């Protein structure tokens, strides 16, 4: 279905050229090692063929079907107009359109945006899972959830927070741009600005913070409730012990139990 092609490897990504080199309408696919595929110039059937015959053989820990994100952008080629991005349309000159490095720079930004969308969806799931807990605490004075479950939710929040801020390639500038020409990094940064990556990360981290504070509050509430129950048990044990000692004293003086 496709001509033989030579794979090109870059940091975090492998490029599969499918069209004629230097063509104005290139066909190529970029496979990112964090689970994102960017395709240029392919029809929907061709994209499906790529995913069914190539993607399934290289995927590792595939996403759930509900986590799969699909975005579509258009490309407009002009004579001399400088590259710009507006209304999901990438505009570039015909000379730039022939450079696979230009498409690679854009693909890095698109891939980070798609990956960030997955994390945004996971955080929304956590918000939906925990949104009734503060209401229950306010109305009933307790939460219908076990201490173990609260600990599991805290672990989920920490894991997703670590994935975004420590372990993923969503935040930092890709290593490719360390040695790439400045104009490519400038194009990548304009794409990131259009996709609002920085502001989306800030909103995501704010949600992480709110979730963490809420779960810490619930954990402290449950710990205090447990401590209160222990204190009440100790008080009743002391009352019982005092009653037994009083009975022993009364029995010793013959007040009770005498003939």
């Amino acid at each position: 279905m496709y001509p033989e092609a030579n794979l090109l490897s870059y940091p975090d990504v492998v490029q599969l050229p499918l069209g004629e080199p230097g063509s104005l309408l290139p066909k190529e696919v970029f496979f990112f090692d964090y689970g994102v595929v960017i395709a240029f110039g392919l029809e929907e059937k061709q994209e499906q063929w790529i995913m069914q015959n190539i993607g399934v053989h290289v995927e590792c820990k595939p996403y759930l079907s509900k986590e799969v994100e699909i975005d579509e952008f258009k490309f407009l080629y002009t004579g001399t107009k400088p590259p710009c991005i507006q209304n999901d349309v990438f505009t570039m000159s015909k000379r730039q359109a022939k450079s696979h490095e230009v498409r690679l720079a854009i693909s890095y930004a698109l891939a980070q945006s798609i990956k960030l969308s997955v994390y945004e969806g996971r955080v929304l799931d956590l918000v939906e899972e925990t949104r009734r807990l503060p209401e229950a605490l306010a109305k009933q004075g307790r939460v219908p959830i076990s201490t173990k479950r609260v600990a599991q939710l805290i672990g989920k929040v920490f894991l997703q927070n670590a994935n975004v801020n420590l372990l993923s390639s969503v935040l930092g500038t890709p290593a490719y741009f360390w040695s790439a020409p400045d104009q490519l990094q400038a194009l990548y940064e304009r794409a990131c600005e259009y996709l609002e990556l920085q502001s989306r990360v800030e909103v995501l981290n704010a949600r992480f913070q709110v979730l963490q504070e809420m779960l810490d509050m619930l954990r402290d509430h449950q710990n205090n409730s447990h401590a209160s129950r222990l204190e009440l048990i100790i008080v009743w044990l002391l009352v019982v012990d005092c009653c037994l000692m009083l009975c022993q004293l009364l029995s010793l003086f013959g007040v009770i139990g005498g003939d």
Side-chain angles (χ1 to χ4, degrees):
M1 184 173 182
Y2 294 104
E4 294 185 2
N6 295 321
L7 293 177
L8 301 177
S9 180
Y10 304 94
D12 301 328
V13 60
V14 173
Q15 178 193 4
L16 175 62
L18 298 174
E20 294 295 330
S23 172
L24 182 59
L25 300 175
K27 294 183 178 182
E28 58 191 349
V29 183
F30 295 95
F31 296 90
F32 288 82
D33 63 5
Y34 42 85
V36 179
V37 178
I38 306 294
F40 286 87
L42 301 184
E43 298 177 358
E44 184 176 353
K45 291 183 178 179
Q46 295 173 319
E47 294 175 355
Q48 293 176 353
W49 188 93
I50 289 290
M51 296 306 301
Q52 294 171 359
N53 293 273
I54 299 179
V56 295
H57 297 294
V58 298
E59 67 181 4
C60 178
K61 298 180 180 180
Y63 296 122
L64 300 175
S65 57
K66 68 175 184 178
E67 293 183 329
V68 176
E69 297 281 344
I70 300 177
D71 281 349
E72 294 185 2
F73 294 85
K74 295 181 180 180
F75 282 79
L76 178 63
Y77 304 113
T78 65
T80 58
K81 187 176 180 179
C84 64
I85 310 169
Q86 189 175 8
N87 298 327
D88 288 352
V89 177
F90 289 82
T91 302
M92 63 183 67
S93 67
K94 294 180 179 180
R95 179 182 60 83
Q96 291 174 323
K98 297 180 181 180
S99 171
H100 71 275
E101 291 183 333
V102 170
R103 295 186 293 275
L104 175 61
I106 296 173
S107 295
Y108 271 112
L110 294 177
Q112 289 179 319
S113 177
I114 289 291
K115 186 67 174 181
L116 187 58
S117 296
V118 173
Y119 291 130
E120 289 170 335
R122 291 177 179 177
V123 170
L124 289 178
D125 289 342
L126 286 171
V127 170
E128 181 64 24
E129 189 174 359
T130 59
R131 69 183 180 89
R132 291 184 175 87
L133 298 180
E135 296 177 3
L137 184 61
K139 293 180 180 179
Q140 305 172 13
R142 57 186 178 85
V143 289
I145 187 173
S146 65
T147 303
K148 178 180 179 181
R149 184 57 183 156
V150 171
Q152 289 174 334
L153 290 173
I154 291 175
K156 282 186 177 181
V157 172
F158 179 81
L159 181 61
Q160 296 305 320
N161 196 352
N163 284 337
V164 173
N165 292 285
L166 297 178
L167 305 179
S168 75
S169 301
V170 173
L171 300 183
T173 301
Y176 168 76
F177 295 103
W178 296 352
S179 57
D182 292 340
Q183 59 267 29
L184 290 180
Q185 183 168 353
L187 178 60
Y188 160 78
E189 291 174 351
R190 283 200 297 272
C192 289
E193 182 179 357
Y194 173 77
L195 296 168
E196 300 179 335
L197 292 187
Q198 187 60 40
S199 60
R200 288 164 62 190
V201 168
E202 292 175 357
V203 170
L204 197 59
N205 283 326
R207 288 177 175 172
F208 280 135
Q209 184 176 357
V210 172
L211 284 171
Q212 188 66 51
E213 290 176 353
M214 180 189 66
L215 293 173
D216 286 342
M217 177 196 66
L218 295 177
R219 181 179 58 183
D220 292 340
H221 172 74
Q222 290 183 329
N223 289 339
N224 292 334
S225 298
H226 181 67
S228 297
R229 286 194 298 269
L230 289 178
E231 291 176 358
L232 186 60
I233 291 173
I234 292 173
V235 168
W236 279 109
L237 288 174
L238 290 174
V239 170
V240 171
D241 186 57
C242 290
C243 291
L244 290 175
M245 292 181 63
L246 180 61
C247 290
Q248 289 178 351
L249 289 173
L250 293 176
S251 175
L252 181 63
F253 289 103
V255 177
I256 61 173
D259 294 333

